[in-house]
Amino acid sequence: MTDDPLPAEHLSPLATLVDEVLASVGYEMAAATDAIDDAVPGYGGLFDPTTTSDELRQALEDLLASGVTRPPVAESTSDTFVLYVDGSSRGNPGPAGAGAVIMDTTEDELARLGRPVGSRTGNNTAEYVALQLGLSELLARYEPRRLEVRIDSMTVIRDVWGGNDPTEPGVEAYSEAVTTALASIPEHEYTHLADSDPNPADALATVGADIAAFGPG
């Protein structure tokens, strides 16, 4: 597994530091936020309004310099997985985040992943990043032979599984990464989620958008 951050759209220096911490823990959102909260002096934290940008930046820099430990990879006894993905953009375009949840066939959660995508990014781009995020970590951790992707973006579904060229400007790098990742999984399919269907990746994408909204720092 690599600790290098996945490609992102434009992020402020502060949001970029948070994304680097996320990358260092395999984009496990809870592990990253806990580590950041512990690094902030006093009773502050990542989303604590009393924590200044300077305090948060120093905590992030100290955390990255000291090294961040990845949480153990959850074991799976199957080579069949379910991947929920979701992207969130406030303003479309606006601060955007991506979320992904890896499950096994018993619907047990193996990983809850999230990250900021960009400070002024559209929802379809965020959905692409969410799919790339989930596939990247799935392949880094396991050897999937079968995969069901549960996703609500018909744009991404048409592009990826319909064989269309990407219709969203600027997503070619994400599209190519997704295509390459799926090609290494022998069997994969998608399930389209309606707006009313539960999606555990939604909350993670929302947190990613919160991080993308951070100021310069």
Side-chain angles (χ1 to χ4, degrees):
M1 291 181 288
T2 177
D3 292 343
D4 294 333
L6 293 170
E9 304 291 295
H10 175 74
L11 292 169
S12 72
L14 196 57
T16 298
L17 285 172
V18 178
D19 194 45
E20 290 176 8
V21 172
L22 281 161
S24 68
V25 296
Y27 295 96
E28 292 274 5
M29 184 65 79
T33 54
D34 287 348
I36 294 168
D37 289 349
D38 288 344
V40 174
Y43 294 98
L46 181 61
F47 295 114
D48 191 318
T50 65
T51 301
T52 68
S53 294
D54 286 344
E55 288 174 332
L56 181 55
R57 184 188 67 249
Q58 188 62 59
L60 292 165
E61 290 175 347
D62 291 346
L63 190 58
L64 289 166
S66 65
V68 188
T69 303
R70 276 178 173 261
V73 173
E75 292 187 5
S76 175
T77 58
S78 173
D79 59 5
T80 301
F81 298 88
V82 174
L83 176 64
Y84 281 92
V85 298
D86 195 31
S88 174
S89 173
R90 295 185 188 141
N92 195 27
V101 175
I102 300 172
M103 293 183 172
D104 60 18
T105 53
T106 63
E107 302 282 325
D108 287 335
E109 293 184 355
L110 302 175
R112 294 180 54 83
L113 315 171
R115 63 172 304 208
V117 175
S119 59
R120 189 164 177 77
T121 302
N123 190 67
N124 285 326
T125 299
E127 292 273 356
Y128 260 111
V129 174
L131 183 53
Q132 180 198 21
L133 169 63
L135 290 171
S136 175
E137 285 299 321
L138 175 67
L139 291 169
R141 300 169 189 223
Y142 307 106
E143 296 181 0
R145 291 193 56 79
R146 300 177 185 85
L147 173 66
E148 178 193 357
V149 177
R150 298 179 182 174
I151 181 172
D152 64 9
S153 172
M154 283 305 302
T155 296
V156 176
I157 288 172
R158 284 193 296 265
D159 291 353
V160 174
W161 283 275
N164 297 343
D165 290 333
T167 53
E168 187 77 7
V171 299
E172 290 79 11
Y174 306 122
S175 175
E176 290 174 7
V178 164
T179 299
T180 299
L182 287 174
S184 67
I185 302 174
E187 299 177 31
H188 57 82
E189 61 183 1
Y190 72 87
T191 294
H192 177 241
L193 298 177
D195 291 341
S196 58
D197 291 330
N199 186 344
D202 174 72
L204 297 160
T206 299
V207 176
D210 290 339
I211 296 168
F214 283 172

